[in-house]
Amino acid sequence: MIFNVKEGKMNKILKKLLNLQLSKISFPIEIKVSYLGEGILQLLPSVGFKKAVILSAGIHGNETAPIELLARLIASLSKNTQRLNCALLIIFGNLPAIKLGKRYIHSDMNRLFFNHNQYEKLEKSINEVQCVNLLKEAVQKFLDNISLYDNIPCYHLDMHTTIRDSYFKQFALLPHNANSYNKSFFELLFSCKLNAIVQHNSPNGTFSYYLSKHFGVQSCTIELGKAKSFGLNNLTLFQSIEFAIKSLISGDNFIKEIKKIIRWFLVVESIIKTKDNFRLNLKPEIKNFTQLKPGYIIAYDDNHIWRINNDAPWILFPNSDVAFGLRACLLLRSTTIPYFTL
Ligand SMILES: [Zn+2]
């Protein structure tokens, strides 16, 4: 594997994570370690740095591939087989849900970072509200801690896996463009050898949007493939992403990738579930990025019918099992020209 870590070493880190013992992992003397909360590690090279990187996984507790990837990264840093040339914050987002192997315990955490309607309604004692607050505090602390280094770029990859299969297996979701992205951020995404990039058209409650909007972080969500249990992930599928992360944190150059192999999509519409009798008119096994025919009735409730139109026939994240007020499906437009100029 890219991080040069045997499976046993990764499993030891996972065991420490699940037993709330991340603080017992030792690192080389060249790395200054701080624990900014349960499951949150700050690693700073003692010689200084010129960029900051935030890597998060487990915002959804049952999405194990990114958790295993970060466990391998920690193992390689701990064994001094991975160079660290940046300020690094590693986050395992929802530890109680990770321990139970569940997407979440009470509420979908990745809708609560910037959605006041949802967030304000929830009790402060709810697990996901506590996790969101912990992450917000930890990120603020991390950015305060590195603020001596003025104007260094900060990159964030929030890594997930999908509930269902996808025609484009690995893809990035760029949050609504609160801040513009720089060229090196796209070089990072290209070097991940992603199959597609999707640009959101409106603010949402995701961690990546929160970091982009509030702190100007170059931030996105990355989907690595379909969600599986611990130990069942085919780790070879994530080699390009591992290699890109390795280059990012060690300061090596990214592998230049040809941009045209990536498909570009824009979110045109979010179908929001607001009624008890809301239904998605889709087969359970339908894949992300399925292209539907114009006119097709994709969803309905007792006073609204959603039809596919010519402009946005591709579907993403169909899921009728969401709370009221949350999106049950995204409708996408394919575009040949990225919305930005590199
Ligand atoms: Zn997820």
Side-chain angles (χ1 to χ4, degrees), residues 15-66:
K15 206 170 160 191
K16 284 208 161 66
L17 172 71
L18 297 177
N19 289 324
L20 310 184
Q21 293 178 331
L22 272 192
S23 60
K24 295 199 171 156
I25 300 168
S26 59
F27 288 90
I29 196 160
E30 298 83 11
I31 298 177
K32 290 189 281 183
V33 190
S34 308
Y35 301 90
L36 302 190
E38 204 60 71
I40 305 175
L41 273 179
Q42 173 187 273
L43 305 172
L44 304 180
S46 50
V47 293
F49 42 84
K50 289 184 179 154
K51 76 181 158 199
V53 175
I54 301 171
L55 299 172
S56 53
I59 298 288
H60 292 137
N62 62 342
E63 299 176 2
T64 60

Coordinates of all heavy atoms in Angstrom, one line a residue, residues 15-66:
K15 N -8.0 -0.1 16.6 CA -8.4 -0.6 18.0 C -8.2 0.6 19.0 O -9.1 0.8 19.8 CB -7.4 -1.7 18.4 CG -8.0 -2.7 19.4 CD -7.2 -3.9 19.5 CE -7.5 -4.6 20.8 NZ -6.6 -5.7 21.1
K16 N -7.1 1.3 18.8 CA -6.9 2.4 19.8 C -8.0 3.5 19.6 O -8.5 4.0 20.5 CB -5.5 3.1 19.5 CG -4.4 2.2 20.1 CD -3.2 3.1 20.4 CE -2.2 2.5 21.4 NZ -1.5 1.3 20.8
L17 N -8.3 3.7 18.3 CA -9.4 4.7 18.0 C -10.7 4.3 18.7 O -11.4 5.1 19.4 CB -9.6 4.8 16.5 CG -10.8 5.6 16.0 CD1 -10.5 7.1 16.3 CD2 -11.1 5.4 14.5
L18 N -11.1 3.0 18.5 CA -12.4 2.5 19.0 C -12.4 2.4 20.5 O -13.4 2.5 21.2 CB -12.7 1.2 18.4 CG -12.9 1.2 16.8 CD1 -13.2 -0.2 16.3 CD2 -14.0 2.2 16.5
N19 N -11.2 2.3 21.1 CA -11.1 2.2 22.6 C -10.8 3.6 23.2 O -10.4 3.7 24.3 CB -10.0 1.2 23.0 CG -10.5 -0.2 22.8 OD1 -11.6 -0.5 22.9 ND2 -9.5 -1.0 22.3
L20 N -10.9 4.6 22.4 CA -10.7 6.0 22.8 C -9.3 6.2 23.4 O -9.1 6.8 24.4 CB -11.7 6.5 23.8 CG -13.2 6.2 23.4 CD1 -14.1 6.8 24.5 CD2 -13.5 6.8 22.1
Q21 N -8.3 5.6 22.7 CA -6.9 5.7 23.2 C -5.9 6.3 22.1 O -4.8 5.9 22.1 CB -6.4 4.2 23.5 CG -7.1 3.6 24.7 CD -6.7 2.2 25.0 OE1 -6.3 1.5 24.1 NE2 -6.7 1.8 26.2
L22 N -6.5 7.1 21.3 CA -5.6 7.7 20.2 C -4.4 8.5 20.9 O -3.3 8.5 20.4 CB -6.4 8.8 19.4 CG -7.1 8.3 18.1 CD1 -7.5 9.5 17.3 CD2 -6.2 7.3 17.3
S23 N -4.6 9.0 22.1 CA -3.6 9.8 22.8 C -2.4 8.9 23.2 O -1.4 9.4 23.6 CB -4.2 10.5 24.0 OG -4.7 9.5 24.9
K24 N -2.6 7.6 23.1 CA -1.5 6.7 23.5 C -0.5 6.3 22.4 O 0.4 5.6 22.5 CB -2.0 5.4 24.1 CG -2.8 5.6 25.4 CD -3.0 4.4 26.2 CE -3.6 4.8 27.6 NZ -4.3 3.8 28.2
I25 N -0.9 6.8 21.2 CA 0.0 6.6 20.0 C 1.2 7.5 20.1 O 1.1 8.7 20.3 CB -0.7 6.8 18.7 CG1 -2.0 5.9 18.6 CG2 0.2 6.6 17.5 CD1 -2.9 6.3 17.5
S26 N 2.4 7.0 19.9 CA 3.6 7.8 19.9 C 4.0 8.2 18.5 O 3.8 7.5 17.5 CB 4.7 7.1 20.6 OG 5.0 5.9 19.9
F27 N 4.6 9.4 18.4 CA 5.1 9.9 17.1 C 6.5 10.3 17.2 O 7.0 10.5 18.3 CB 4.2 11.1 16.7 CG 2.8 10.7 16.3 CD1 1.8 10.7 17.2 CD2 2.5 10.4 15.0 CE1 0.5 10.3 16.9 CE2 1.2 10.0 14.6 CZ 0.2 10.0 15.6
P28 N 7.2 10.4 16.1 CA 8.6 10.8 16.1 C 8.8 12.2 16.7 O 7.8 13.0 16.7 CB 9.0 10.8 14.6 CG 8.0 10.0 13.9 CD 6.8 10.1 14.7
I29 N 10.0 12.4 17.3 CA 10.2 13.7 18.0 C 10.0 14.9 17.1 O 9.8 16.0 17.6 CB 11.6 13.6 18.6 CG1 11.8 14.7 19.7 CG2 12.7 13.7 17.6 CD1 12.9 14.4 20.6
E30 N 10.2 14.7 15.8 CA 10.0 15.9 14.9 C 8.6 16.3 14.7 O 8.3 17.3 14.1 CB 10.5 15.5 13.4 CG 12.0 15.1 13.4 CD 12.2 13.7 13.7 OE1 11.3 12.9 13.8 OE2 13.4 13.3 13.9
I31 N 7.6 15.6 15.3 CA 6.2 15.9 15.2 C 5.7 16.3 16.5 O 5.8 15.5 17.5 CB 5.4 14.7 14.6 CG1 5.9 14.4 13.2 CG2 3.9 15.1 14.6 CD1 5.2 13.2 12.6
K32 N 5.1 17.5 16.6 CA 4.5 17.9 17.9 C 3.0 17.5 17.9 O 2.3 17.9 17.0 CB 4.6 19.4 18.1 CG 6.0 19.9 18.3 CD 6.0 21.4 18.7 CE 5.9 22.3 17.5 NZ 6.0 23.7 17.7
V33 N 2.6 16.7 18.8 CA 1.2 16.1 18.8 C 0.4 16.8 19.9 O 0.8 17.0 21.0 CB 1.3 14.6 19.1 CG1 -0.1 14.0 18.9 CG2 2.3 13.9 18.4
S34 N -0.9 17.1 19.5 CA -1.9 17.6 20.5 C -3.2 16.9 20.2 O -3.5 16.6 19.0 CB -2.1 19.1 20.3 OG -0.9 19.8 20.4
Y35 N -3.9 16.6 21.2 CA -5.2 16.0 21.1 C -6.3 17.0 21.3 O -6.4 17.5 22.4 CB -5.4 14.8 22.0 CG -4.3 13.8 21.8 CD1 -3.0 13.9 22.4 CD2 -4.4 12.8 20.8 CE1 -2.0 13.0 22.1 CE2 -3.4 11.9 20.5 CZ -2.2 12.0 21.2 OH -1.2 11.2 20.9
L36 N -7.0 17.4 20.3 CA -7.9 18.5 20.4 C -9.3 18.0 20.7 O -10.3 18.8 20.7 CB -7.9 19.3 19.1 CG -6.6 19.9 18.6 CD1 -6.8 20.8 17.4 CD2 -5.9 20.6 19.7
G37 N -9.5 16.8 21.0 CA -10.8 16.2 21.4 C -10.7 14.7 21.1 O -9.7 14.3 20.4
E38 N -11.7 14.0 21.5 CA -11.7 12.5 21.3 C -11.7 12.3 19.8 O -12.6 12.8 19.1 CB -12.9 11.9 22.0 CG -12.8 10.5 22.3 CD -11.6 10.2 23.2 OE1 -11.7 10.5 24.4 OE2 -10.6 9.6 22.7
G39 N -10.7 11.6 19.3 CA -10.7 11.2 17.8 C -10.2 12.4 17.0 O -10.3 12.4 15.8
I40 N -9.5 13.4 17.6 CA -9.0 14.5 16.8 C -7.6 14.8 17.2 O -7.2 15.1 18.3 CB -9.9 15.8 17.1 CG1 -11.3 15.5 16.9 CG2 -9.4 16.9 16.2 CD1 -12.3 16.6 17.3
L41 N -6.7 14.6 16.2 CA -5.2 14.7 16.4 C -4.7 15.9 15.6 O -4.9 16.0 14.4 CB -4.6 13.5 15.7 CG -4.4 12.2 16.5 CD1 -3.7 11.2 15.6 CD2 -3.5 12.5 17.7
Q42 N -3.9 16.7 16.3 CA -3.2 17.8 15.6 C -1.7 17.4 15.6 O -1.1 17.1 16.6 CB -3.4 19.1 16.3 CG -2.5 20.3 15.8 CD -2.6 21.5 16.7 OE1 -3.5 22.3 16.5 NE2 -1.7 21.6 17.6
L43 N -1.1 17.4 14.4 CA 0.3 17.1 14.2 C 1.0 18.2 13.5 O 0.6 18.6 12.4 CB 0.4 15.8 13.4 CG -0.4 14.6 13.9 CD1 -0.3 13.5 12.8 CD2 0.2 14.1 15.2
L44 N 2.0 18.8 14.2 CA 2.7 19.9 13.6 C 4.2 19.6 13.5 O 4.8 19.1 14.5 CB 2.6 21.2 14.5 CG 1.2 21.7 14.8 CD1 1.3 22.9 15.7 CD2 0.4 22.0 13.6
P45 N 4.8 19.8 12.3 CA 6.2 19.5 12.2 C 7.0 20.6 13.0 O 6.7 21.8 12.9 CB 6.5 19.7 10.7 CG 5.3 20.1 10.0 CD 4.2 20.2 11.1
S46 N 8.0 20.1 13.8 CA 8.6 21.1 14.7 C 9.5 22.1 13.9 O 9.8 23.2 14.4 CB 9.5 20.4 15.7 OG 10.3 19.4 15.0
V47 N 9.8 21.8 12.6 CA 10.6 22.8 11.9 C 9.7 23.8 11.2 O 10.3 24.7 10.5 CB 11.4 22.0 10.8 CG1 12.5 21.1 11.4 CG2 10.5 21.2 9.9
G48 N 8.4 23.8 11.4 CA 7.5 24.8 10.7 C 6.9 24.2 9.5 O 7.1 23.1 9.1
F49 N 6.1 25.0 8.8 CA 5.3 24.5 7.7 C 4.8 25.7 6.9 O 4.7 26.8 7.4 CB 4.1 23.7 8.2 CG 3.4 24.3 9.4 CD1 2.4 25.2 9.2 CD2 3.8 23.9 10.7 CE1 1.8 25.8 10.3 CE2 3.2 24.5 11.8 CZ 2.2 25.4 11.6
K50 N 4.4 25.4 5.7 CA 3.9 26.4 4.8 C 2.5 26.2 4.3 O 1.9 26.9 3.4 CB 4.8 26.6 3.6 CG 6.1 27.2 4.0 CD 7.0 27.5 2.8 CE 8.3 28.1 3.3 NZ 9.4 27.9 2.4
K51 N 1.9 25.1 4.8 CA 0.4 24.9 4.5 C -0.2 24.0 5.6 O 0.5 23.4 6.4 CB 0.3 24.2 3.1 CG 0.6 22.8 3.0 CD 0.4 22.2 1.6 CE 1.2 21.0 1.5 NZ 1.5 20.6 0.2
A52 N -1.5 24.0 5.6 CA -2.3 23.3 6.6 C -3.2 22.3 5.8 O -3.8 22.7 4.8 CB -3.0 24.2 7.5
V53 N -3.4 21.2 6.4 CA -4.3 20.2 5.8 C -5.2 19.6 6.9 O -4.8 19.3 8.0 CB -3.4 19.0 5.2 CG1 -4.4 17.9 4.7 CG2 -2.6 19.6 4.1
I54 N -6.5 19.5 6.6 CA -7.5 18.9 7.5 C -8.0 17.6 6.7 O -8.5 17.8 5.6 CB -8.6 19.8 7.8 CG1 -8.1 21.1 8.5 CG2 -9.6 19.1 8.7 CD1 -9.1 22.2 8.7
L55 N -7.9 16.5 7.4 CA -8.4 15.2 6.8 C -9.4 14.7 7.7 O -9.1 14.4 8.9 CB -7.3 14.2 6.6 CG -6.1 14.7 5.6 CD1 -5.0 13.6 5.6 CD2 -6.7 14.8 4.2
S56 N -10.6 14.5 7.3 CA -11.7 13.9 8.2 C -12.3 12.7 7.6 O -12.4 12.5 6.3 CB -12.7 15.0 8.4 OG -13.2 15.6 7.3
A57 N -12.8 11.8 8.5 CA -13.5 10.6 8.1 C -14.4 10.3 9.2 O -14.3 10.9 10.3 CB -12.5 9.4 7.9
G58 N -15.4 9.4 9.0 CA -16.3 9.0 10.0 C -17.3 10.0 10.5 O -17.9 9.9 11.5
I59 N -17.5 11.0 9.6 CA -18.6 11.9 9.9 C -19.9 11.1 9.8 O -20.9 11.3 10.6 CB -18.7 13.1 8.8 CG1 -17.4 13.9 8.9 CG2 -19.9 13.9 9.0 CD1 -17.2 14.8 10.1
H60 N -19.9 10.1 8.9 CA -20.9 9.1 8.9 C -20.2 7.8 9.5 O -19.3 7.3 8.9 CB -21.5 8.8 7.5 CG -22.3 10.0 7.0 ND1 -22.2 10.4 5.8 CD2 -23.3 10.7 7.7 CE1 -23.1 11.5 5.6 NE2 -23.7 11.6 6.8
G61 N -20.7 7.3 10.6 CA -20.0 6.3 11.3 C -19.8 4.9 10.6 O -18.9 4.2 11.0
N62 N -20.6 4.6 9.6 CA -20.5 3.3 9.0 C -19.7 3.3 7.7 O -19.7 2.4 7.0 CB -21.9 2.7 8.7 CG -22.7 3.6 7.7 OD1 -22.4 4.8 7.5 ND2 -23.7 3.0 7.1
E63 N -19.1 4.5 7.4 CA -18.3 4.6 6.2 C -16.8 4.4 6.5 O -16.1 5.3 6.9 CB -18.6 6.0 5.6 CG -20.1 6.1 5.2 CD -20.4 7.5 4.7 OE1 -19.6 8.3 4.5 OE2 -21.6 7.7 4.4
T64 N -16.4 3.1 6.4 CA -15.2 2.6 7.1 C -13.9 2.8 6.2 O -12.9 3.0 6.8 CB -15.3 1.2 7.4 OG1 -15.5 0.4 6.2 CG2 -16.4 0.9 8.4
A65 N -14.1 2.9 4.9 CA -12.9 2.9 4.1 C -12.0 4.2 4.4 O -10.8 4.1 4.5 CB -13.3 2.9 2.6
P66 N -12.6 5.3 4.5 CA -11.8 6.5 4.8 C -11.2 6.4 6.2 O -10.1 7.0 6.5 CB -12.8 7.7 4.7 CG -14.0 7.2 4.0 CD -14.0 5.7 4.2

